């Protein structure tokens, strides 16, 4: 007769979200009912000093080829990443700040 474990075996926790690996086309979701379908939750920080990632908006997806370079996706189905935008900093996985200078884009962690 085989032994039955008393508890489920340990399952590895999912890897934490790494904002320093996000680039390409990004769709920003604002509908709270779709939050569970998003890759992560982001807060748009008004101050650069408190952001984890500085983002420059590219007009063409082909130029969004490095960390912090994001192109707006026209729909969630065409995005490399779908992120939920929260108005509450405490509920976000990370914070971003938009810059107007392409060379300032990148990770601050």
């Amino acid at each position: 007769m085989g032994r039955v474990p008393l508890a489920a075996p340990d399952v590895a926790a999912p890897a934490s979200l790494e904002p320093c690996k996000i680039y390409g086309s990004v769709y920003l979701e604002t509908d709270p009912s779709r939050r569970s379908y998003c890759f992560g939750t982001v807060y748009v920080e008004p101050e650069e000093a408190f952001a984890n990632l500085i983002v420059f908006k590219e007009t063409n997806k082909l130029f969004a080829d490095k960390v912090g370079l994001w192109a707006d996706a026209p729909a969630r189905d065409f995005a490399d990443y779908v992120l939920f935008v929260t108005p509450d900093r405490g509920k976000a996985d990370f914070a971003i700040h938009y810059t107007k200078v392409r060379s300032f884009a990148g990770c601050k962690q």
Side-chain angles (χ1 to χ4, degrees):
M1 203 183 222
R3 295 181 62 190
V4 178
L6 298 176
D10 290 335
V11 177
S16 62
L17 179 66
E18 295 186 42
C20 295
K21 293 186 176 181
I22 298 176
Y23 63 90
S25 61
V26 178
Y27 182 80
L28 298 177
E29 181 65 67
T30 55
D31 183 359
S33 66
R34 294 179 159 246
R35 183 179 192 165
S36 62
Y37 300 109
C38 296
F39 180 72
T41 303
V42 66
Y43 174 73
V44 180
E45 178 64 56
E47 299 294 325
E48 180 179 342
F50 302 113
N52 305 101
L53 184 66
I54 307 300
V55 175
F56 178 78
K57 283 189 175 186
E58 288 286 358
T59 55
N60 188 327
K61 180 184 174 180
L62 296 176
F63 298 124
D65 58 353
K66 292 183 181 163
V67 174
L69 302 179
W70 292 6
D72 287 334
R76 58 185 294 118
D77 295 332
F78 299 110
D80 295 323
Y81 296 95
V82 178
L83 300 171
F84 177 73
V85 179
T86 181
D88 184 0
R89 172 80 160 109
K91 294 182 180 177
D93 296 319
F94 64 98
I96 64 169
H97 176 78
Y98 287 107
T99 183
K100 294 182 180 183
V101 182
R102 188 179 199 274
S103 62
F104 291 169
C107 193
K108 291 182 61 179
Q109 289 183 349

